[in-house]
Amino acid sequence: RCVAATPPTRRVLFKNSNSTMSRTVAAVVAAGTAGTLILLVIALGSGGGGRTAAAGPKRMSRQHRLQHPENSNTAAIPRPTPCTNCTSFNQAVEHTLSGLKKTGGKATLLQIGANDGQNADPLYRYLVRDKTKWLNVMVEPTPDPYAKLRMLHSDAKGWGFYNGAMAGTDLCNGSITFWELPGHRYNETGWWTMVNTMDKASVHVNKGGKTGFLVPVVRPCLSSVETLLRRHGSKEFQNTALTNGKPDVFEIDFLLIDVECQDYRILQLIDWVVLRPRYIQYESLVCMGKGKKIAEDILTKNGYELFKIGQNDNVTTCLGG
């Protein structure tokens, strides 16, 4: 079972198949979905983090924030206390939703690489069960799955959607070359409908060279997560996520990343003073190469404790406090 850190800090869930943790921490392993083992751990750091872990984009100017007072939140609804005995990511979600039910609050989610919102989505069943309990920003660059995503959640109130990619300025200058499955194949099912990527070479390695069907296209993109949230997050999302008294700090419940071997690049975009997710889930695949360690370094330097276990190399981190 997880043991609460002193003082309470952020905590992390990890799913990974081919590496082990070098240090011992309090944790629990439980059977997860699709034969994957999930490990929930409480971070041992203060959760305050630092700004040196990743060279992300500059924050928005204070002048910009002052010019948009509508983005400042009113009296905040108390957030649920961190889950100290969860044994899976699903339990962490249930814990959060249960706590918010008592206060009348809503869970906040940023999902980058949302696909169609259903296929292999770990939060699908929670989102469709009661959409009124969620405030989301969902990102998907490819038009076909994006259209399905919008249709699936067409009745959701207070959700924001962005039909574009997230990438660093080395790849994104307002648009990005993206590798995608041809549109006529989205009526098929299988892993090949979920491998659209900003880096074909990485996916080519991950899928054993079976990526010849991907074609290059140009898609819009952003390089700032803060810009994404302020531009596409609803007023209710922003008022809920922005820390009371700190109109430039987003404290969200869940960050879910799935961008095919490039998840570490998304973590590099985050200004960890501006964005403080409580729970993070991302893929830590062999095809990331050095990106696996980059991701781990970013998270540990910002107060997250990392565990890797399972078959699918997915990583869930949770940060309490």
Side-chain angles (χ1 to χ4, degrees), residues 77-81 83 86 90-107 126 129 133-134 253-254 279:
I77 294 175
R79 309 308 293 171
T81 56
C83 181
C86 293
N90 288 346
Q91 286 185 7
V93 175
E94 293 284 4
H95 171 86
T96 301
L97 294 179
S98 176
L100 289 172
K101 184 177 181 180
K102 298 175 183 177
T103 63
K106 298 181 180 181
Y126 296 105
R129 186 169 68 186
K133 302 301 182 185
W134 292 86
D253 295 303
F254 302 100
Y279 302 96

Side-chain angles (χ1 to χ4, degrees), residues 175-217:
S175 63
I176 187 173
T177 299
F178 211 69
W179 292 86
E180 297 180 356
L181 186 73
H184 69 277
R185 296 193 61 179
Y186 280 100
N187 59 345
E188 303 176 17
T189 58
W191 61 264
W192 53 87
T193 66
M194 299 182 288
V195 296
N196 298 335
T197 180
M198 66 183 86
D199 184 358
K200 182 181 178 181
S202 294
V203 175
H204 189 77
V205 171
N206 190 41
K207 297 302 180 182
K210 300 177 182 179
T211 57
F213 50 81
L214 296 177
V215 296
V217 294

